[in-house]
Amino acid sequence: MIITDVWFGIIAIITIMTIIHCDTYHDCGASCKCLKTSGSKRTICNGYYIPNLPVSASEIEIRNSNLTDIGRLDLINLTLHRVHELLFSGNSIRHIDQEAFVNLTWLTVLTINNETSLNVEVLKQALTKVSSKFLKKLRFTNNNWQYLPNDMFDSFKNTKIKKVYLTGNQFSSINGSAFRIFTLCERLVLENNQLTKIYFWKMQRLKSLRLERNRLAKVPNFCSLHDSLFPRLERLSLSYNNIGNIDKTSFICLPKLKDLHLKGIAIVELQNNIFSSLKKLKYVNLEMINTLKRIEDFAFNSTSIKKILMQYCKFRFDIIERFNPVTIFKFCPNVNYVNLGINYLPSIPNILYSMFIPLENLETLKLYSTNLVYLPRNLLNNLRNLRQLSLNDNKLHNSHLSSDIFGNITSLKSLDLSSNLISIMTKTFLSSTLLNSLEQIHLGDNPFSCTCDQKWFLEWIKQTKVKIVGYPNRYKCRYPKELNGQYLKSYNPTDDICNPWNPLYTIAIVLPLFGVSILVIFIFIWICQNNIKNSVYLLRVVYNHIQGHVALDERLNYEYHAFVVYCDADREWVHNVFLQRMESEEGIKLCIHQRDFDIGKNITGNIDKYLEKSWKVVVVMSNDFAKSEWCQWEVDVVQERRRLQGKDAFLLIMLKTIDSKHMTSPLRTLLESTPHVRYQAGVGEDLFWRVAVKSLQKPIGLPPVAVL
């Protein structure tokens, strides 16, 4: 008994040493390497011949060798092995003897790759001696074959092959009868050929068919005389072909299809009911790059679809003539994933709301790089299952966002608002309910203002358990200029800095009533002076309307109501007050250079381009504006508009009175020849807004209004 145990121990040690011997690249010959991968023994050779290899080697690769002719005896050294995988790649093989593979009876995978000198007829003859008893996979890829013989695989009797790869060749057409012997085949890959025609043969077990990167001009026929050629097909890829049309009959013979890939095809229109016959369809990829122009009302008429991918289409969802926002997703209520990235979404909130309201089961919504400026209020109220929302790379400004948009949704776990125009994160921006449910939020690459208004956000970052994606590296100050580029994490506003208390405030509170009264009277007189001027301006505009001087509405020829000229020091008022009032409440679309200009183009080119797109010009003036040489240059540029169209093409706003020492000659000329209004917060502010709105709505070419 002891002797038996000793012998077993010796045998175990010898076995272990043999494995280690192979794993450390010994005993494989000078031109081969042995290594262990995933429990198998793989041998890679690149010499003039195949040397004696360890008996344990089961996966043999012959790569970039000088074997041009594989004779009957060249593979004789492998006859003692249980070779499961055999691969030839890049060897410039010209001939394979018909008896070369005769003794490889354990073969399960055969790969011939990048053998461009090997004639397909030569390989066909060699395959007649391949044992197909255990063969499961064939890979004949990148061999530059011009055709596939119809009897290529006829020698495989009772084959159990389940996967066939014929990629990267030069086939212009294939007759599916070549695959008739593969009765158990589940995956057929014919991608990256030159196919313009293909005629299929019935394959009962086929589950995956890949035809991407060919030249097919139409969807192949999947129907036999009586039923489907592929009754069990679950995955079909037609991506990157020349297919120009798909209709409701294209896929009617694929009853089990679950995944459909149509990426990169040149479809112009998604017709009604093209997916309605696919009762098992779950996933559809429609990344039709820059060709899709119209989506019909019932295009997505399918209750089985779960995922819709339409990124990179550059489809104009902002042109309602091309689709119906009410019906586009109305008939696919079970969709839980939608990706519309890199398209054009509308700035009209009601349209956006109508698009997504039917998707009650939506879990993931990706709207990145869609030129979004606004989000409708209560957008997510109906999306009670939404877990991931991506709004990155848009033009969302913090003044356009509020807790009303996100509602009290508790399902959302991931929110991406990176690379927008958000400068301040306030407590009212995201509801406490949402913040408590989030697991991660991404706000990186926004133009943050490092001011006291940011204090709440900085304190929230320190105490929250929500993952702040990209923090701190992608969170930097943009304003003020002296802090530009500084990490937001390094900015620490304290209560003493943000809320200073001066003892003089106490003295001011108890000042004699007489002094306060004088101050109130002075302020009242000052306010009334501006309001009287603004009132006269408004009355004259209204009077001219009453007299019947109404010009044609030339605004329809312009993309923007007005181009706004202002200095950076007045940016907060322009963005947070003027822009918010005019666009959100009055519906007047303004061109703002920090939001609308084309990235990467020079500033002068942008100004010329967007001036042509704007009906009028708004100039916001102040001391800082008068001191800015750049602003003076802009005044000179827009003066040409004044000379061509008259003063009605302008709205001059005196935000802050300009000191006489800063008043320039061009500014004085502009003010003397064009009416202007003064902004005054508080009393009379409503009058200012009425004047501003009337002025921007007033048609160009009315009878002159006297300078105020």
Side-chain angles (χ1 to χ4, degrees):
M1 187 69 177
I2 296 175
I3 295 174
T4 303
D5 292 342
V6 170
W7 274 109
F8 274 120
I10 293 172
I11 293 172
I13 292 172
I14 293 172
T15 302
I16 293 172
M17 292 302 294
T18 301
I19 294 173
I20 295 174
H21 207 47
C22 182
D23 288 349
T24 52
Y25 308 142
H26 294 94
D27 241 3
C28 287
S31 60
C32 297
K33 290 183 179 180
C34 286
L35 63 154
K36 183 178 180 180
T37 58
S38 303
S40 301
K41 306 300 184 298
R42 182 175 293 273
T43 302
I44 303 175
C45 299
N46 58 4
Y48 289 91
Y49 66 97
I50 302 173
N52 291 322
L53 300 173
V55 177
S56 61
S58 60
E59 299 176 7
I60 313 296
E61 296 186 14
I62 316 297
R63 292 181 176 273
N64 305 316
S65 71
N66 294 306
L67 288 173
T68 59
D69 190 341
I70 300 178
R72 180 176 182 181
L73 300 179
D74 285 319
L75 302 179
I76 195 68
N77 291 333
L78 304 181
T79 57
L80 298 177
H81 301 68
R82 287 193 173 187
V83 177
H84 296 292
E85 294 191 24
L86 180 60
L87 178 147
F88 294 95
S89 180
N91 302 287
S92 301
I93 297 173
R94 295 181 179 275
H95 178 73
I96 300 177
D97 190 273
Q98 189 171 352
E99 303 288 329
F101 301 131
V102 69
N103 292 313
L104 301 178
T105 58
W106 295 92
L107 201 62
T108 60
V109 179
L110 176 60
T111 301
I112 309 292
N113 174 60
N114 201 26
E115 299 293 350
T116 57
S117 299
L118 179 62
N119 188 280
V120 66
E121 296 287 351
V122 173
L123 178 62
K124 183 183 75 172
Q125 294 303 317
L127 292 179
T128 61
K129 298 297 182 179
V130 173
S131 172
S132 61
K133 182 178 181 180
F134 298 106
L135 200 61
K136 298 292 182 62
K137 186 187 298 184
L138 293 177
R139 289 198 189 102
F140 300 145
T141 58
N142 302 308
N143 297 310
N144 205 33
W145 293 339
Q146 302 294 317
Y147 69 98
L148 184 70
N150 291 344
D151 58 347
M152 181 73 179
F153 308 108
D154 283 4
S155 60
F156 296 140
K157 303 297 182 182
N158 300 318
T159 179
K160 296 180 181 179
I161 293 175
K162 292 188 175 182
K163 299 177 181 179
V164 178
Y165 297 81
L166 290 167
T167 65
N169 289 289
Q170 300 293 319
F171 305 135
S172 61
S173 65
I174 286 182
N175 191 324
S177 62
F179 309 121
R180 64 185 179 277
I181 199 71
F182 299 131
T183 57
L184 299 179
C185 184
E186 295 180 354
R187 176 180 294 182
L188 179 59
V189 182
L190 301 173
E191 64 183 18
N192 201 26
N193 290 293
Q194 305 292 324
L195 289 173
T196 58
K197 296 180 181 179
I198 186 165
Y199 305 96
F200 288 117
W201 194 269
K202 190 162 189 173
M203 301 177 73
Q204 290 278 3
R205 300 290 185 90
L206 193 67
K207 292 183 178 180
S208 176
L209 176 60
R210 294 173 57 179
L211 295 167
E212 59 259 38
R213 300 188 185 279
N214 282 290
R215 297 180 178 180
L216 297 173
K218 62 180 181 178
V219 178
N221 180 28
F222 300 114
C223 300
S224 66
L225 291 176
H226 305 291
D227 56 2
S228 172
L229 293 173
F230 307 127
R232 298 187 183 181
L233 191 68
E234 295 179 354
R235 187 181 190 277
L236 172 63
S237 177
L238 294 168
S239 299
Y240 299 107
N241 276 278
N242 298 330
I243 298 171
N245 182 61
I246 290 179
D247 58 37
K248 62 183 180 181
T249 65
S250 298
F251 308 109
I252 57 174
C253 291
L254 300 175
K256 300 292 185 180
L257 193 65
K258 294 180 179 179
D259 292 1
L260 178 59
H261 296 257
L262 300 173
K263 182 178 181 180
I265 64 176
I267 293 178
V268 175
E269 180 179 51
L270 283 181
Q271 298 181 23
N272 286 328
N273 301 309
I274 56 177
F275 308 119
S276 59
S277 64
L278 302 173
K279 303 303 181 182
K280 302 291 184 179
L281 186 64
K282 304 294 183 185
Y283 174 101
V284 58
N285 188 325
L286 297 168
E287 297 179 39
M288 303 168 189
I289 302 175
N290 208 25
T291 62
L292 188 61
K293 302 300 181 185
R294 177 167 171 76
I295 302 174
E296 292 193 350
D297 290 4
F298 299 96
F300 294 106
N301 182 14
S302 171
T303 57
S304 64
I305 293 180
K306 298 288 187 180
K307 291 187 177 182
I308 297 175
L309 280 74
M310 289 187 65
Q311 66 267 39
Y312 299 102
C313 292
K314 295 185 179 179
F315 184 77
R316 301 304 299 257
F317 287 100
D318 55 342
I319 302 177
I320 59 175
E321 289 79 8
R322 296 188 176 185
F323 83 112
N324 187 335
V326 176
T327 62
I328 183 170
F329 297 128
K330 183 177 181 179
F331 305 103
C332 53
N334 294 315
V335 168
N336 58 28
Y337 182 104
V338 173
N339 188 339
L340 298 181
I342 314 183
N343 288 284
Y344 296 92
L345 287 179
S347 296
I348 303 174
N350 290 339
I351 295 179
L352 203 62
Y353 184 81
S354 298
M355 288 175 62
F356 299 113
I357 193 172
L359 300 178
E360 296 182 359
N361 296 301
L362 196 62
E363 296 178 3
T364 299
L365 179 59
K366 295 181 179 290
L367 303 177
Y368 55 86
S369 301
T370 54
N371 289 287
L372 268 178
V373 177
Y374 302 104
L375 290 174
R377 295 184 182 274
N378 302 315
L379 171 65
L380 309 183
N381 277 2
N382 198 54
L383 306 180
R384 291 300 179 182
N385 297 308
L386 191 66
R387 295 180 59 83
Q388 181 178 357
L389 178 60
S390 299
L391 297 167
N392 48 300
D393 296 295
N394 284 297
K395 298 178 181 180
L396 299 173
H397 194 278
N398 48 280
S399 63
H400 302 150
L401 300 174
S402 69
S403 58
D404 292 339
I405 293 173
F406 301 97
N408 293 320
I409 188 170
T410 58
S411 62
L412 196 63
K413 303 301 179 185
S414 176
L415 177 60
D416 191 345
L417 287 166
S418 60
S419 300
N420 276 280
L421 300 175
I422 300 170
S423 58
I424 301 292
M425 280 291 295
T426 64
K427 189 175 182 179
T428 58
F429 174 43
L430 301 176
S431 67
S432 58
T433 304
L434 176 60
L435 291 176
N436 291 333
S437 66
L438 279 177
E439 294 178 357
Q440 69 175 34
I441 187 170
H442 194 352
L443 291 160
D445 301 319
N446 276 291
F448 289 108
S449 292
C450 286
T451 62
C452 288
D453 294 331
Q454 208 72 265
K455 189 172 183 294
W456 174 86
F457 182 48
L458 293 170
E459 292 176 350
W460 178 78
I461 289 177
K462 294 177 182 178
Q463 66 183 13
T464 186
K465 295 181 180 179
V466 179
K467 180 181 179 181
I468 314 296
V469 180
Y471 187 81
N473 294 336
R474 297 178 66 178
Y475 294 69
K476 296 183 179 181
C477 303
R478 182 74 60 85
Y479 309 103
K481 289 183 179 180
E482 58 269 21
L483 297 180
N484 186 22
Q486 175 179 309
Y487 287 115
L488 189 62
K489 183 179 180 180
S490 302
Y491 177 65
N492 296 305
T494 63
D495 289 335
D496 293 338
I497 295 174
C498 296
N499 301 301
W501 179 260
N502 193 323
L504 293 177
Y505 294 164
T506 304
I507 299 174
I509 294 173
V510 297
L511 281 176
L513 182 60
F514 175 80
V516 174
S517 301
I518 295 297
L519 181 60
V520 170
I521 294 171
F522 175 77
I523 294 174
F524 180 77
I525 294 174
W526 179 258
I527 292 174
C528 287
Q529 178 185 1
N530 293 334
N531 290 339
I532 291 171
K533 291 183 177 181
N534 291 344
S535 297
V536 173
Y537 187 102
L538 178 62
L539 289 173
R540 295 193 177 187
V541 171
V542 174
Y543 173 78
N544 283 308
H545 276 281
I546 295 173
Q547 294 302 312
H549 303 292
V550 179
L552 293 175
D553 195 356
E554 64 271 34
R555 289 175 296 175
L556 298 177
N557 298 322
Y558 296 88
E559 184 174 342
Y560 299 94
H561 274 78
F563 180 97
V564 184
V565 179
Y566 62 98
C567 69
D568 191 66
D570 301 325
R571 178 187 56 81
E572 289 292 334
W573 182 85
V574 172
H575 281 243
N576 296 339
V577 179
F578 188 73
L579 185 63
Q580 172 70 15
R581 177 65 179 258
M582 288 297 173
E583 292 194 338
S584 298
E585 299 183 20
E586 303 297 343
I588 294 175
K589 188 175 182 182
L590 302 176
C591 180
I592 303 295
H593 67 85
Q594 290 177 325
R595 181 187 70 186
D596 300 309
F597 276 13
D598 297 334
I599 298 174
K601 292 188 178 181
N602 64 70
I603 187 67
T604 57
N606 265 318
I607 289 175
D608 290 337
K609 175 181 177 181
Y610 283 93
L611 269 175
E612 291 180 1
K613 292 185 175 185
S614 302
W615 185 44
K616 291 193 176 188
V617 178
V618 176
V619 182
V620 181
M621 298 173 294
S622 64
N623 256 328
D624 294 299
F625 182 94
K627 291 187 288 184
S628 171
E629 294 182 2
W630 180 256
C631 291
Q632 297 305 306
W633 179 84
E634 286 186 284
V635 169
D636 290 337
V637 171
V638 300
Q639 278 280 31
E640 183 64 19
R641 179 71 68 88
R642 168 71 175 82
R643 287 189 287 270
L644 292 174
Q645 297 182 344
K647 57 181 177 293
D648 290 341
F650 273 65
L651 170 60
L652 303 185
I653 298 175
M654 186 66 71
L655 182 62
K656 298 173 185 177
T657 303
I658 301 175
D659 296 338
S660 58
K661 63 180 179 180
H662 297 134
M663 182 65 71
T664 63
S665 178
L667 268 180
R668 183 177 288 107
T669 301
L670 183 63
L671 288 170
E672 289 175 353
S673 61
T674 308
H676 67 274
V677 292
R678 293 177 179 271
Y679 174 76
Q680 181 67 52
V683 179
E685 185 176 2
D686 183 65
L687 177 61
F688 165 79
W689 291 117
R690 291 171 59 196
V691 172
V693 171
K694 283 289 186 181
S695 181
L696 288 178
Q697 292 176 341
K698 172 186 176 184
I700 296 174
L702 286 180
V705 177
V707 177
L708 304 180

